């Protein structure tokens, strides 16, 4: 019996399904390895295919099994489409050796020409490591990279756990109305991340994508770092600099689908629909209008696994956030499905081949970089997603708590503040798969896109344009700032085993994200981060940023994620919630109007408690009604529980640390 069944007894009726999951994994692993000793030895497609230096020139190899012939054209032969013909080898592989006058060079632009049924199809090479767009023709082509290896300063970096993730997008990380660069991010944003206290960045939109407005989720060239932001060496310098600051770097990897573009993507590279993808309806994502991989095909697995190894070794990424996992593992992509019972995880709707791929991917990543971090974007809560493969799991370290931001939006849109239920909050924030780790968050990039709003903008709306000056008093802004702090603190402390924030949201970035497009006259106004708002001493944004800094500092100092949260009690009538995590006590008063003098904090351990953080502190634009560093002694109270009384201001939260425990019998109720 697999240990996953011990972790979650509700899986007992599906023991055969778990056994099938593991049988599929072992079968496919055996198929792939053959003579290889490990997946690390197998996943070397990038070392064979693509462009490689030889003693007397270059060798170019491509996989195009349905092609009648393959050619290479480019700057080196005046773009003659049929002069340089590749030799057909076995298994659909074509090879071309170049020397002398046809030799390649750094910066040389090239394209592949595939001959199929008398047609000549112009394609971007599959394993190209740099892809650029011609500004005159708007066509994409590969650019040869022939540079000395990057001189890494930090060679053996290991990520800090638990991850405190700063989700970011290089292009929109600048205040200017334009596309930011790797260098600008390295020099301007990384120091901010370090000062804020995040130990991990998760970078979106790195894998090359033809449409900027896709947010990087419609990938065309899987081995190419986006040229919009600069060169491969500049990205490596960014990662190297992050490591020197103690910051891990995760790649937002997109293996759930691919852009349908034919000229610059994988689609119909060799003239067929089925080279990489399923044919027909199964190969098309109805919501995203993209192509879907055939994970049963060994050549596809070779391509994708090699892609993971490439980013780990070539760029020294510290792991991956896998995008669109829910879409991968169900044939209906989870669209419109609520996943209300276990039977929905083990049915004909399940894409078992995709689950097998994810198991193989996690195994490979550990072989290449044992300390790497993997995060799954799965809203379905598939059992075992974050359990070890040997236990019957899929092997991820963490999954995103995707239901939490949805819960906050529902509350803010549909429920009056005075009607918020503390029991509902506790349940939504703490309900997790047994033994699996989660990344909690209030909002990611998803909640900030056009058509939606950042949490702060949802709370304050147009008042942000008129009342964010520090000298302006406004009830809407006061409510917004109070809840902005409280939502983040309770999500960090209850919502998982790590934390994520999208860049700028820590200081309540206003408005939404809208990429330049025809509908907004190709404007970059909403596709940037206005850091100056947080830097201005005259605006209230800096108070929210200051709270974020202290919140993360507290979480790290108290080693908050070393233990699970324990509920002390929930007071629905007064909208108060008190809980403890790793010896740290949190008291939340969500009542919008009622402050409580002498409120009893019960069911604690004996000892002396000190207030170490309050959302109501003046340095966070609060009123200072709770004294910081004030001490309270927890002892037997009149109801025979252990605790003490404290002032709890309306719409605020306090954090207390137990300094020491008294000797004696009993420690109150657990």
């Amino acid at each position: 019996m697999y240990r996953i069944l011990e972790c979650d007894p509700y899986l007992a009726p599906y023991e055969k399904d778990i056994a099938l999951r593991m049988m599929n994994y072992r079968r496919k692993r055996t198929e792939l390895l053959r003579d290889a000793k490990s997946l690390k030895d197998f996943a070397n497609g990038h070392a064979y295919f693509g462009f490689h230096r030889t003693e007397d020139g270059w060798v170019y190899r491509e996989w195009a099994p349905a092609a009648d012939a393959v050619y290479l054209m480019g700057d080196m032969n005046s773009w003659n489409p049929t002069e340089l013909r590749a030799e057909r080898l076995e298994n659909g592989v074509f090879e071309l050796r170049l020397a002398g006058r046809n030799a390649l060079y750094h910066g040389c632009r090239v394209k592949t020409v595939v001959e199929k049924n008398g047609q000549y199809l112009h394609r971007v090479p599959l394993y190209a490591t740099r892809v650029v767009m011609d500004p005159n023709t708007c066509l994409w082509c590969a650019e040869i990279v022939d540079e000395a290896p990057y001189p890494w300063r930090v060679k053996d970096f290991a990520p800090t756990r638990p991850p405190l993730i700063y989700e970011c997008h290089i292009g929109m990380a600048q205040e200017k109305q334009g596309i930011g660069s790797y260098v600008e991010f390295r020099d301007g944003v990384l120091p901010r991340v370090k000062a804020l206290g995040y130990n991990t960045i998760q970078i979106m939109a790195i894998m090359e994508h033809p449409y900027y407005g896709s947010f990087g989720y419609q990938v065309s060239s899987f081995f190419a770092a986006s040229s919009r932001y600069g060169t491969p060496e500049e990205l490596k310098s960014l990662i190297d600099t992050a490591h020197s600051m103690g910051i891990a770097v995760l790649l937002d990897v997109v293996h759930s689908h691919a852009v349908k573009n034919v000229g610059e993507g994988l689609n119909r590279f060799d003239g067929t629909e089925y080279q990489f993808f399923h044919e027909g309806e199964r190969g098309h994502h109805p919501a995203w209008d993209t192509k879907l991989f055939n994970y049963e095909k060994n050549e596809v697995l070779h391509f994708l696994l090699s892609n993971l190894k490439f980013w780990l070794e070539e760029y020294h990424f510290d792991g991956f956030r896998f995008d669109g996992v829910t879409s991968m593992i169900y044939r209906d992509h989870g669209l419109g499905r609520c996943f209300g019972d276990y039977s929905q995880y083990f049915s004909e709707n399940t894409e078992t081949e995709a689950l097998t791929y994810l198991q193989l991917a996690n195994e490979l990543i550990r072989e290449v970089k044992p300390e790497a971090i993997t995060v799954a974007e799965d809203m379905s809560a598939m059992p075992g997603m974050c359990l070890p493969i040997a236990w019957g799991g899929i092997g991820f370290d963490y999954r995103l708590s995707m239901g939490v931001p949805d819960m906050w939006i529902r509350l803010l849109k549909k429920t009056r503040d005075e009607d918020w239920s503390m029991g509902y909050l506790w349940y939504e924030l703490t309900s997790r798969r047994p033994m699996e780790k989660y990344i909690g968050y209030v909002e990611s990039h998803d909640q900030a896109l056009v058509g939606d709003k950042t949490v702060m903008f949802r709370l304050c709306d147009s008042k942000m344009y008129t009342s964010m000056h520090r000298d302006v008093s406004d009830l809407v802004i006061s409510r917004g700032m109070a809840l902005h702090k409280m939502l983040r603190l309770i999500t960090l402390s209850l919502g998982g085993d790590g934390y994520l924030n999208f860049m700028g949201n820590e200081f309540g970035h206003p408005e939404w994200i809208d990429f330049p497009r025809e509908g907004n006259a190709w404007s970059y106004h909403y596709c940037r981060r206005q850091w100056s708002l947080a830097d201005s001493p005259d605006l209230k944004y800096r108070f929210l940023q200051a709270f974020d800094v202290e919140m993360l500092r507290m979480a790290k100092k108290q080693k908050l994620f070393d233990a699970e949260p324990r509920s002390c009690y929930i007071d629905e009538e007064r909208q108060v919630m008190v809980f403890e995590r790793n010896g740290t006590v949190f008291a939340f008063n969500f009542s919008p109007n009622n402050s409580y003098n002498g409120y009893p904090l019960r069911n604690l351990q004996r000892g002396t408690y000190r207030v170490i953080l309050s959302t109501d502190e003046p340095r966070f634009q609060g009123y200072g009604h709770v004294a910081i560093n004030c001490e309270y002694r927890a002892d037997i109270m009149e109801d025979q529980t252990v605790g003490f009384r404290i002032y709890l201001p309306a719409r605020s939260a306090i954090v207390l640390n137990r300094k020491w425990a008294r000797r004696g019998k009993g420690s109150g109720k657990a």
Side-chain angles (χ1 to χ4, degrees), residues 177 233 261 286 300 333 381 405 467 470 477 493 572 581 622 648:
Q177 295 197 35
E233 180 148 320
N261 300 30
V300 172
H333 316 298
S467 304
R470 61 178 300 169
I477 296 296
S493 52
E572 288 286 13
R581 190 166 191 181
L648 278 185

Side-chain angles (χ1 to χ4, degrees), residues 41-180:
D41 296 326
F42 166 76
N44 288 314
H46 55 292
Y48 179 77
F49 293 107
F51 300 91
H52 300 281
R53 268 272 189 199
T54 62
E55 290 184 1
D56 60 348
W58 291 79
V59 61
Y60 166 54
R61 299 187 187 94
E62 201 66 87
W63 177 62
D68 298 326
V70 170
Y71 307 87
L72 186 69
M73 66 177 181
D75 292 336
M76 71 290 179
N77 76 334
S78 301
W79 296 90
N80 186 319
T82 57
E83 178 188 9
L84 302 174
R85 179 169 178 153
E87 177 186 359
R88 181 188 288 273
L89 306 181
E90 295 180 348
N91 302 318
V93 177
F94 290 83
E95 180 181 275
L96 175 65
R97 293 186 177 272
L98 298 165
R101 69 179 184 85
N102 291 321
L104 304 174
Y105 53 89
H106 182 70
C108 178
R109 298 190 176 192
V110 298
K111 291 196 80 166
T112 303
V113 180
V114 174
E115 183 180 353
K116 176 69 173 175
N117 296 333
Q119 291 186 309
Y120 293 89
L121 313 173
H122 293 185
R123 301 287 189 257
V124 173
L126 293 175
Y127 285 81
T129 58
R130 180 166 170 79
V131 177
V132 297
M133 186 180 72
D134 186 311
N136 297 317
T137 64
C138 292
L139 298 177
W140 293 78
C141 62
E143 191 173 86
I144 300 300
V145 178
D146 185 24
E147 294 180 308
Y150 178 82
W152 294 94
R153 293 175 293 154
V154 182
K155 301 184 187 300
D156 297 308
F157 180 81
T160 300
R161 299 195 190 208
L164 302 172
I165 302 172
Y166 201 72
E167 186 187 31
C168 48
H169 182 286
I170 301 296
M172 61 174 292
Q174 306 304 313
E175 187 144 0
K176 68 183 182 184
Q177 295 197 35
I179 299 177

Side-chain angles (χ1 to χ4, degrees), residues 628-663:
I628 294 297
N629 296 322
C630 184
E631 295 186 350
Y632 302 84
R633 177 165 297 196
D635 217 326
I636 298 295
M637 302 178 73
E638 60 274 12
D639 62 354
Q640 300 305 302
T641 63
V642 173
F644 56 87
R645 294 182 179 275
I646 195 171
Y647 181 67
L648 278 185
R651 202 178 269 146
S652 70
I654 59 174
V655 184
L656 303 104
N657 176 47
R658 186 166 65 95
K659 292 180 61 180
W660 50 270
R662 290 181 58 184
R663 295 178 182 176

Side-chain angles (χ1 to χ4, degrees), residues 348-578:
E348 293 181 357
N349 185 46
T350 305
E351 283 279 12
T352 56
E353 297 94 342
L355 285 172
T356 298
Y357 165 65
L358 293 173
Q359 289 177 302
L360 295 168
N362 275 291
E363 180 182 349
L364 167 72
I365 291 164
R366 300 299 181 275
E367 289 180 3
V368 176
K369 184 173 284 193
E371 68 279 8
I373 295 171
T374 59
V375 182
E377 188 205 28
D378 172 33
M379 54 75 62
S380 76
M382 166 65 77
M385 186 64 69
C386 299
L387 291 180
I389 298 169
W391 293 15
I394 309 302
F396 283 94
D397 292 307
Y398 303 90
R399 69 184 343 140
L400 294 175
S401 287
M402 299 186 68
V404 171
D406 292 341
M407 180 267 294
W408 288 127
I409 290 174
R410 284 197 305 272
L411 273 178
L412 293 173
K413 288 175 68 173
K414 299 180 179 180
T415 307
R416 298 186 311 159
D417 294 5
E418 49 266 55
D419 294 332
W420 285 19
S421 165
M422 298 300 99
Y424 172 74
L425 288 182
W426 174 267
Y427 175 81
E428 290 292 328
L429 287 166
T430 61
S431 296
R432 298 194 272 277
R433 289 278 179 220
M435 302 291 290
E436 301 196 37
K437 292 186 176 181
Y438 286 66
I439 300 293
Y441 63 106
V442 176
E443 53 185 333
S444 67
H445 71 274
D446 286 328
Q447 286 71 43
L449 289 169
V450 67
D452 210 330
K453 299 177 181 178
T454 64
V455 165
M456 189 60 178
F457 203 48
R458 184 177 296 281
L459 286 164
C460 302
D461 236 325
S462 61
K463 288 286 187 177
M464 294 191 77
Y465 298 119
T466 60
S467 304
M468 285 299 284
H469 193 280
R470 61 178 300 169
D471 295 332
V472 176
S473 179
D474 188 284
L475 291 177
V476 172
I477 296 296
S478 295
R479 169 184 177 265
M481 294 187 67
L483 287 177
H484 191 277
K485 291 177 284 186
M486 293 181 72
L487 267 54
R488 276 160 169 72
L489 181 61
I490 198 170
T491 300
L492 172 111
S493 52
L494 278 186
D497 310 278
Y499 182 70
L500 177 142
N501 168 64
F502 181 68
M503 62 178 187
N505 288 352
E506 71 279 1
F507 64 80
H509 201 287
E511 301 174 327
W512 46 78
I513 299 166
D514 189 11
F515 282 83
R517 55 188 173 84
E518 188 176 2
N520 64 15
W522 303 102
S523 170
Y524 286 89
H525 177 77
Y526 295 107
C527 195
R528 59 194 178 115
R529 297 286 89 178
Q530 299 181 60
W531 307 111
S532 60
L533 296 176
D535 294 340
S536 172
D538 297 324
L539 300 177
K540 297 176 183 177
Y541 298 97
R542 69 185 185 93
F543 297 116
L544 297 178
Q545 179 170 276
F547 178 77
D548 202 73
V549 170
E550 293 305 318
M551 179 181 73
L552 296 184
R553 183 175 294 162
M554 176 275 299
K556 288 185 284 189
K557 185 176 181 180
Q558 303 303 117
K559 298 181 179 180
L560 210 58
F561 301 114
D562 285 0
E564 290 297 309
R566 175 184 69 88
S567 176
C568 296
Y569 60 94
I570 288 171
D571 187 338
E572 288 286 13
E573 181 181 352
R574 294 175 177 82
Q575 291 186 283
V576 171
M577 182 194 301
V578 181

Side-chain angles (χ1 to χ4, degrees), residues 2 4-5 11 14-22 346 392:
Y2 293 104
I4 186 175
L5 301 172
L11 285 172
Y14 305 97
E15 183 174 359
K16 290 184 179 179
D17 295 279
I18 299 298
L20 177 63
R21 172 190 291 182
M22 297 307 295
F346 306 102

Side-chain angles (χ1 to χ4, degrees), residues 23-311:
M23 184 186 73
N24 290 338
Y25 157 73
R26 288 190 293 268
R27 174 186 61 81
K28 182 57 70 174
R29 189 178 186 277
T30 300
E31 276 184 26
L32 297 180
L33 292 187
R34 295 183 183 175
D35 298 329
K37 296 180 180 179
S38 66
L39 289 173
K40 183 179 178 180
D41 296 326
F42 166 76
N44 288 314
H46 55 292
Y48 179 77
F49 293 107
F51 300 91
H52 300 281
R53 268 272 189 199
T54 62
E55 290 184 1
D56 60 348
W58 291 79
V59 61
Y60 166 54
R61 299 187 187 94
E62 201 66 87
W63 177 62
D68 298 326
V70 170
Y71 307 87
L72 186 69
M73 66 177 181
D75 292 336
M76 71 290 179
N77 76 334
S78 301
W79 296 90
N80 186 319
T82 57
E83 178 188 9
L84 302 174
R85 179 169 178 153
E87 177 186 359
R88 181 188 288 273
L89 306 181
E90 295 180 348
N91 302 318
V93 177
F94 290 83
E95 180 181 275
L96 175 65
R97 293 186 177 272
L98 298 165
R101 69 179 184 85
N102 291 321
L104 304 174
Y105 53 89
H106 182 70
C108 178
R109 298 190 176 192
V110 298
K111 291 196 80 166
T112 303
V113 180
V114 174
E115 183 180 353
K116 176 69 173 175
N117 296 333
Q119 291 186 309
Y120 293 89
L121 313 173
H122 293 185
R123 301 287 189 257
V124 173
L126 293 175
Y127 285 81
T129 58
R130 180 166 170 79
V131 177
V132 297
M133 186 180 72
D134 186 311
N136 297 317
T137 64
C138 292
L139 298 177
W140 293 78
C141 62
E143 191 173 86
I144 300 300
V145 178
D146 185 24
E147 294 180 308
Y150 178 82
W152 294 94
R153 293 175 293 154
V154 182
K155 301 184 187 300
D156 297 308
F157 180 81
T160 300
R161 299 195 190 208
L164 302 172
I165 302 172
Y166 201 72
E167 186 187 31
C168 48
H169 182 286
I170 301 296
M172 61 174 292
Q174 306 304 313
E175 187 144 0
K176 68 183 182 184
Q177 295 197 35
I179 299 177
S181 70
Y182 296 125
V183 171
E184 288 172 318
F185 188 95
R186 179 196 67 196
D187 297 343
V189 181
L190 280 181
R192 286 183 175 273
V193 177
K194 176 68 175 177
L196 288 169
Y198 291 87
N199 59 27
T200 306
I201 58 173
Q202 175 183 298
I203 312 183
M204 310 167 61
I206 290 296
M207 303 163 77
E208 192 60 87
H209 48 290
Y211 178 46
Y212 188 48
S214 74
F215 230 143
Y217 291 122
Q218 294 191 10
V219 174
S220 53
S221 294
F222 283 72
F223 290 83
S226 181
S227 59
R228 285 185 179 88
Y229 319 128
T231 66
E233 180 148 320
E234 288 167 344
L235 174 56
K236 293 174 184 177
S237 177
L238 185 162
I239 296 170
D240 201 16
T241 302
H243 288 168
S244 73
M245 295 178 172
I247 299 171
V249 187
L250 305 184
L251 174 66
D252 197 344
V253 70
V254 186
H255 282 182
S256 49
H257 60 137
V259 72
K260 69 176 184 179
N261 300 30
V262 172
E264 56 269 282
L266 307 183
N267 192 20
R268 298 186 180 275
F269 181 86
D270 69 351
T272 66
E273 184 180 15
Y274 55 79
Q275 182 182 3
F276 284 95
F277 310 115
H278 288 292
E279 291 185 276
E281 185 177 336
R282 191 178 176 190
H284 177 256
H285 198 294
W288 298 342
D289 195 22
T290 51
K291 300 298 295 181
L292 300 174
F293 288 105
N294 181 351
Y295 301 106
E296 176 62 23
K297 204 167 182 177
N298 291 350
E299 294 86 352
V300 172
L301 295 183
H302 187 234
F303 180 85
L304 295 175
L305 292 172
S306 299
N307 189 235
L308 296 174
K309 183 179 179 182
F310 169 81
W311 290 110

